[in-house]
Amino acid sequence: MVVKLKYDLNLNLSLGSSHTLILNHIHSGSVVLEFGPATGYMTKYMTEQLNCQVYCVEIDAEAAEKVKKYATKVIIGDIEDYNWLEELKDLKFDYILFADVLEHLYNPCEVLKKATMFLQDDGAVITSIPNISHNAIIMKLLSGDFSYRETGLLDNTHIRFFAKKNVLALLEQAGLVPVQWMATMYRPENTEFQKLYGELPPYIHKFLETREDGHVYQYVTVSKKAKTSLQKIDTKIAENYLDYNYLQVFWEENGQYSEMASVKTRLKGDGNRQRLLIDLPKETSGRIRIDPVNVPGIVSIYHIKVGDKNYSVENNFQGITFSDDIIVMKDEALDLIVQSFDPQIFIDVEQSINQIVIDLSFHYYSYDIISLLQSRLINAKKNQEILEARIKKLESNINN
């Protein structure tokens, strides 16, 4: 059964996305065969921006009608019925695309072999394939769960599953050799599964987080016919995270906060102290909202400067308020135990400002930072005991 318009997506040209990685390899004026274009979000770009001739094979008739506006020709039908073989028999293509398609096929190798017959000798087959060995899935398996979803790594229409070795084997069996090996990457907490390393025992956490390709979400490959390609490539993935963690500053417009009235600054999650200089696009005043991070974890804030006003341990960060999903501890720093994906702190700003400076560190949730919290609690308890002793001494002096 075909799920109508299940993949009616928008083109994502953000840096490092699978769409960007694929389209960056398409030369202007090329002839392209695109399998599974859905509603044509990449087809449109190749036609209108790259001046390509794009031929498409799409199973969903409703989606195919949308693609027709951009494609040179659309063949409606199941890829594995092979009706397209006859309709394309006189054509050769510079590029053949399988963007998140091969995992939906019963025999992806056979499809690749047949498609490659239509490839120019110097042409390329470009594929993107989800990685079944992503750490988020391993973490789900460790909890005894392998539930399918509407979309994503465990899309309920996936028939075949691939890890790195399986992708390489598939290409080799189809007579192809990868000449470029790329990937999109997400940490487990930012996938559809929202799994946290801090839920795991330390030794499992350490093993998974340092495992090669554990954060690879999709493998994106550019391959040539084996007989025409002599280039041997390194399949070790360069980092390409699409889910970097960030601090976000909002300013009020008409008494409300919105994404349009905000700026983001990238955060490192290694626990080291970092200084963020956040330039606002215009001078602003009123109530500033700071979302210290976009994932659960621990943020230690040492100093905030808003205009000429400073907030630190010395003045007890007086004037800052917090959303209910943050546990606040104050000792050597302002430690925020963030339990949600949308923590918020607020500062009332009387003067007009155009820059905020924040000194902080950020830790992902893990067993390694429990010792940090314990030391903070011990110090806080000692300080409380010292304060109570001083109060008792003062009371004693007054009574005497």
Side-chain angles (χ1 to χ4, degrees):
M1 181 181 71
V2 177
V3 180
K4 296 295 183 182
L5 297 184
K6 178 175 179 178
Y7 305 107
D8 187 8
L9 308 175
N10 294 319
L11 181 63
N12 179 7
L13 289 180
S14 59
L15 183 65
S17 73
S18 61
H19 298 160
T20 301
L21 295 176
I22 290 170
L23 293 172
N24 279 348
H25 287 86
I26 308 296
H27 292 165
S28 179
S30 298
V31 183
V32 180
L33 174 55
E34 182 183 10
F35 286 95
T39 53
Y41 42 91
M42 288 205 302
T43 317
K44 180 181 179 181
Y45 183 90
M46 289 186 285
T47 301
E48 296 182 354
Q49 303 298 320
L50 300 178
N51 195 31
C52 294
Q53 296 179 51
V54 185
Y55 293 74
C56 298
V57 181
E58 172 57 47
I59 190 172
D60 187 325
E62 189 177 351
E65 286 302 315
K66 294 192 174 187
V67 182
K68 285 180 179 179
K69 293 184 291 185
Y70 318 116
T72 304
K73 182 180 180 68
V74 178
I75 301 167
I76 302 174
D78 190 324
I79 294 172
E80 292 184 285
D81 285 344
Y82 297 109
N83 296 329
W84 48 274
L85 290 174
E86 179 64 24
E87 298 203 42
L88 301 175
K89 64 181 180 180
D90 298 323
L91 296 171
K92 290 287 186 179
F93 297 94
D94 301 304
Y95 300 96
I96 298 176
L97 310 185
F98 290 92
D100 295 329
V101 169
L102 295 170
E103 64 275 11
H104 296 269
L105 305 178
Y106 287 98
N107 194 339
C109 183
E110 187 64 22
V111 170
L112 274 176
K113 286 179 180 178
K114 291 186 184 302
T116 302
M117 296 189 301
F118 296 90
L119 189 66
Q120 296 279 12
D121 287 341
D122 60 348
V125 175
I126 304 180
T127 67
S128 64
I129 300 176
N131 175 30
I132 192 62
S133 69
H134 191 285
N135 280 350
I137 294 179
I138 293 175
M139 293 162 78
K140 290 289 284 183
L141 289 171
L142 288 173
S143 66
D145 186 13
F146 191 82
S147 299
Y148 286 89
R149 293 169 175 258
E150 279 296 309
T151 59
L153 294 176
L154 292 180
D155 183 307
N156 57 18
T157 59
H158 286 180
I159 297 169
R160 301 294 183 187
F161 297 96
F162 298 87
K164 180 177 182 177
K165 289 182 180 179
N166 311 113
V167 175
L168 286 167
L170 173 66
L171 295 173
E172 182 180 358
Q173 290 163 16
L176 295 167
V177 174
V179 296
Q180 292 199 55
W181 188 265
M182 301 164 287
T184 63
M185 303 179 79
Y186 286 103
R187 290 179 60 87
E189 64 267 25
N190 293 319
T191 66
E192 60 270 24
F193 306 103
Q194 295 188 340
K195 299 296 290 182
L196 299 171
Y197 283 124
E199 299 169 348
L200 301 170
Y203 62 96
I204 298 178
H205 168 195
K206 185 176 181 180
F207 170 77
L208 287 180
E209 193 162 20
T210 58
R211 190 176 70 89
E212 184 179 345
D213 292 4
H215 292 161
V216 169
Y217 196 83
Q218 297 157 297
Y219 290 106
V220 181
T221 66
V222 180
S223 301
K224 301 265 190 177
K225 292 179 180 178
K227 62 182 179 182
T228 60
S229 176
L230 301 176
Q231 183 179 2
K232 187 177 178 65
I233 63 162
D234 183 2
T235 57
K236 187 171 183 179
I237 300 294
E239 283 196 358
N240 178 31
Y241 281 93
L242 305 184
D243 63 340
Y244 66 85
N245 297 305
Y246 56 83
L247 175 146
Q248 189 169 11
V249 175
F250 294 81
W251 54 94
E252 283 185 313
E253 287 191 347
N254 300 319
Q256 295 182 329
Y257 299 110
S258 71
E259 292 290 326
M260 298 298 294
S262 72
V263 291
K264 295 177 181 178
T265 302
R266 190 164 186 165
L267 277 183
K268 297 177 182 177
D270 56 8
N272 292 323
R273 189 163 172 168
Q274 51 198 297
R275 168 169 283 197
L276 307 180
L277 276 68
I278 304 156
D279 292 316
L280 306 181
K282 64 176 184 178
E283 288 201 351
T284 187
S285 60
R287 200 172 211 213
I288 296 293
R289 171 182 142 192
I290 301 173
D291 293 6
V293 70
N294 59 319
V295 293
I298 294 185
V299 180
S300 297
I301 299 178
Y302 304 96
H303 177 252
I304 301 177
K305 183 176 181 182
V306 180
D308 59 6
K309 191 162 186 179
N310 294 283
Y311 301 87
S312 65
V313 173
E314 281 70 28
N315 60 19
N316 203 33
F317 289 94
Q318 189 171 358
I320 297 179
T321 57
F322 310 89
S323 57
D324 293 337
D325 54 355
I326 299 176
I327 298 174
V328 180
M329 299 171 58
K330 297 176 184 177
D331 182 40
E332 300 170 12
L334 178 67
D335 292 320
L336 308 178
I337 304 175
V338 177
Q339 305 174 85
S340 75
F341 290 82
D342 190 30
Q344 301 169 12
I345 64 179
F346 300 92
I347 302 175
D348 290 314
V349 180
E350 297 176 358
Q351 64 184 120
S352 292
I353 61 165
N354 57 18
Q355 188 182 71
I356 297 174
V357 182
I358 305 179
D359 286 311
L360 55 73
S361 60
F362 169 59
H363 303 255
Y364 291 107
Y365 268 141
S366 72
Y367 281 79
D368 295 336
I369 61 173
I370 289 177
S371 58
L372 170 70
L373 293 177
Q374 288 174 334
S375 67
R376 294 279 203 268
L377 287 169
I378 291 169
N379 288 337
K381 188 175 181 181
K382 285 181 178 177
N383 291 337
Q384 183 179 354
E385 290 172 350
I386 291 170
L387 182 59
E388 288 174 350
R390 288 176 178 173
I391 291 172
K392 286 181 179 179
K393 187 174 182 179
L394 284 172
E395 289 175 342
S396 176
N397 291 337
I398 291 170
N399 292 333
N400 292 334

